Amino acid sequence: MERRQFIQQSALALAMLSIYKSNAFAHGIFQQAYQFKPLRNNVGVFTEQGGTIAWLNSQAGFTVVDSQFPNSAPHVIEELKKLGNKPFKYLLNTHHHGDHTGGNIAFRGLAEHVVAHENSLKNQRATAEKANSLDKQLLPDLAFGNDGWKTNVGTEKITAYYFGPGHTNGDSIYHFENANIAHLGDLVFNRRYPFIDTANGANIANWVNVLDRITAQFDQDTVFVFGHSRDPEKITGGKADVLAFKNYLQSLLDFVGKEIKAGKSKDDILKATEIPGAPEWQGDGIARSLNAAYAELAVK
């Protein structure tokens, strides 16, 4: 390749990268051109804007976990329809936040059932009522309790687990048993500072216990789907990633607890730029973690 041609093409590539990055942060949430890809055994993932979506392509129909936003949900629906003229058997919500349920409305008249934990349903309804936006919601019609829920879609067995409050008080885990893929929703933020929804029942100490139960429930071959990741290419992982996030939460509690015992004020604690013992967690949002931990520990 001639030197001039190489320089021109390099400049074009850099310009395209610049456009891509500016679009990615246009809405304050990392956004990429949508990606629809299989993982294994007819289960795959979809990423565009908001929480990661998982999908099952069964001979008996489709199942989708989470729905992102109204503008992105139609894209996963379109991609699935390319795989065959089949019914949408279930839309499964991991929890109530809008970047996981806002796109539910795109499944109205399409999904046979919408499923979530009973606390997630309560939170979604209450949030919509407060915002006067119930008409823009598709609420779950099947709500399960703390004992979980099971169903079969074709030959795939799907089990929902609830291990108590963590990110919210209504976080569910959906396990595609034959594929051995478990969608954890926002119970894991992979190397990214998490949102801790204390207003809707989040509890960091119990979140640590939830992650312990996850690592005990699933085996070394389980592929975990994470709601969010600092690196958009790492929205799946294994037990090591779950344990790393558990270490982040425990390190957060240890650090804030030690600072409180040392007599530090909340303002002093909020000056921290890194959680000791968990340097992999970066990006924006450390103040959210410190605030939530302080609120949880200061009352003890």
Side-chain angles (χ1 to χ4, degrees), residues 61 199 209:
N209 295 333

Side-chain angles (χ1 to χ4, degrees), residues 81-282:
K81 284 183 174 181
K82 292 177 184 177
L83 302 180
N85 183 20
K86 306 175 189 179
F88 283 74
K89 303 297 290 184
Y90 295 99
L91 171 61
L92 313 175
N93 288 151
T94 60
H95 63 293
H96 75 285
H97 287 153
D99 62 320
H100 296 258
T101 65
N104 282 14
I105 195 70
F107 290 83
R108 177 174 285 172
L110 189 65
E112 294 180 10
H113 295 288
V114 183
V115 183
H117 185 267
E118 57 191 9
N119 289 344
S120 179
L121 170 58
K122 291 175 185 175
N123 293 341
Q124 188 179 345
R125 180 183 287 116
T127 300
E129 288 174 346
K130 186 175 181 180
N132 196 28
S133 63
L134 264 177
D135 60 324
K136 298 177 182 177
Q137 307 295 316
L138 178 61
L139 299 176
D141 63 291
L142 292 177
F144 58 88
N146 296 353
D147 292 334
W149 174 81
K150 291 185 178 182
T151 194
N152 292 339
V153 179
T155 59
E156 183 59 86
K157 299 177 180 178
I158 303 172
T159 299
Y161 295 92
Y162 177 75
F163 292 150
H167 169 66
T168 70
N169 63 2
D171 303 290
S172 301
I173 300 151
Y174 294 101
H175 186 211
F176 297 94
E177 294 186 10
N178 294 338
N180 198 10
I181 294 172
H183 197 313
L184 304 184
D186 283 1
L187 286 170
V188 170
F189 284 67
N190 192 21
R191 275 71 180 181
R192 173 177 170 177
Y193 291 126
F195 173 51
I196 304 170
D197 191 356
T198 54
N200 285 291
N203 183 277
I204 304 170
N206 196 70
W207 197 344
V208 171
N209 295 333
V210 168
L211 296 172
D212 275 334
R213 292 188 66 178
I214 288 170
T215 55
Q217 180 67 47
F218 302 106
D219 62 34
Q220 292 295 333
D221 189 50
T222 306
V223 173
F224 296 106
V225 178
F226 310 132
H228 300 278
S229 174
R230 184 163 55 90
D231 182 341
E233 295 299 319
K234 295 182 179 179
I235 44 85
T236 63
K239 278 193 177 184
D241 300 300
V242 177
L243 290 171
F245 185 58
K246 173 196 166 185
N247 175 69
Y248 168 79
L249 293 176
Q250 189 60 62
S251 297
L252 170 66
L253 289 176
D254 292 344
F255 170 68
V256 174
K258 185 183 295 183
E259 295 290 272
I260 290 172
K261 287 182 180 177
K264 297 286 186 68
S265 69
K266 181 180 178 180
D267 287 343
D268 286 336
I269 294 172
L270 288 176
K271 293 176 182 177
T273 58
E274 181 180 291
I275 303 301
E280 291 178 276
W281 264 257
Q282 300 173 17

